Amino acid sequence: MPPDTLPAQPGRWLWTCRAGFEPHLFEELAWAGASPRMLGEVLVESEKRPAEPPAFARTGIRVVASFLAGQPSEQLAQSIASRVTEAVPTGPLVLQSFTPDSPAGNRLADEADAVLEAVRTRLPADRLLEETWRARESGATLVELCVAPGVVVVGSVPAREALSLSPGGRQRMRRPGDAASRAAMKLEEALVSLPFEPGRGEVCVDLGAAPGGWTQRLVARGARVIAVDPAKLIPELAGLPRVEHIQESAFAYTPEEPADWLFCDMAWRPIEVAQLLAKWGRRGWATHLVANIKLPMKDKNPILLRVRHILVEEGGWQALTIRQLYHDRDEVTVTAHRTS
Ligand SMILES: C[S@@+](CC[C@H](N)C(=O)[O-])C[C@H]1O[C@@H](n2cnc3c(N)ncnc32)[C@H](O)[C@@H]1O
């Protein structure tokens, strides 16, 4: 990879991903006929946005302009502000900056903050929306400044279509003090992307639940949880009236009544897990699905294609999303629902 990032071309799409996953993102974009080009560490550009958002993209923006680093900061900020105003002439804006999530990118964090502030002061204050969480309902445009080695890329996307409202798709979740596992943050991040979450009294089945991080987060929301795992749960969960631990394999388990939510974080082979989740869909055993699929193999995209096919065609799961979230490592998170 060259030390400096190649400038992204206006009108094309800029995608960012987890470090080391560029080849997978590139391949997905190529398979979608989007003519990708590698720009630098964790940054891939494509001619168009595929119909299905790429699973390995943390976020994507339509490129407004690229500016080579090295010009005086005042001039750079003025040029960026002018291009943003031309490209997005009306409506509220959420302005953010990010650096590529790589060692070289992370060293530019202070510079990214400085550019952001300098541009912010040059845009009309009444157009800047500070409450990012209101961006979608306000019809705002997300404007991102990607401050990368050797170049600043400016891009935008309507907030309603954005893969993430966090700068560069880095949706960092706080690990709850009592969390049984790091996995709790994966669940919290997955739930942020959904329009609603499990609530009081709803029945959740948690396949591969031990040691209990997901179950804890679901119980905290008032749900009743059936935790299925041959391994032990942490003792704090064992005695709770709203938690039932079925200490057996998820492949052997049959629910007594349909669940509102099916959660799955089983450390098991992805195709077999997808087939199990498809069985749940086909039999109408759950309405909503949130599953973490492990992808330790080198060739991930062919597996993901099969997982998608099994869930949709064999399982009848609808509105399927597959995304590698910020807290996902060699894994992706699937969400879906089904109507009876
Ligand atoms: C990553 S851990 C799950 C962490 C959990 N979500 C949490 O928040 O604490 C993976 C779990 O999958 C379980 N597992 C593997 N094969 C399974 C199977 N056939 N049925 C049920 N659980 C299984 C393992 O026992 C392990 O506890």
Side-chain angles (χ1 to χ4, degrees), residues 224-228 233 240-246 253 256:
R224 184 157 75 77
V225 185
I226 301 166
V228 184
L233 297 182
L240 293 183
R242 277 190 283 110
V243 176
E244 182 185 353
H245 184 194
I246 310 275
Y253 171 70
E256 284 173 11

Side-chain angles (χ1 to χ4, degrees), residues 180-181 183-184 186 206-215 228-231 248-251 265-268 294:
S181 63
K186 294 187 299 185
D206 186 5
L207 305 179
W214 286 28
T215 293
V228 184
D229 199 311
E248 65 179 23
S249 168
F251 291 101
D265 190 22
M266 272 166 58
W268 195 251
K294 317 298 170 194

Side-chain angles (χ1 to χ4, degrees), residues 75-134:
Q75 194 182 315
L76 175 67
Q78 191 52 52
S79 306
I80 293 175
S82 305
R83 295 307 302 273
V84 169
T85 313
E86 277 165 32
V88 195
T90 56
L93 299 174
V94 170
L95 183 69
Q96 299 180 334
S97 69
F98 70 93
T99 62
D101 192 359
S102 65
N106 288 329
R107 283 195 287 276
L108 297 172
D110 289 345
E111 199 175 317
D113 288 345
V115 174
L116 179 69
E117 268 327 294
V119 174
R120 190 189 297 280
T121 57
R122 286 168 171 78
L123 290 171
D126 60 354
R127 289 193 62 196
L128 293 172
L129 185 69
E130 297 304 331
E131 303 100 339
T132 306
W133 58 271
R134 284 188 46 224

Side-chain angles (χ1 to χ4, degrees), residues 218-238:
L218 299 170
V219 169
R221 288 172 164 80
R224 184 157 75 77
V225 185
I226 301 166
V228 184
D229 199 311
K232 284 193 175 144
L233 297 182
I234 53 163
E236 292 87 318
L237 283 172

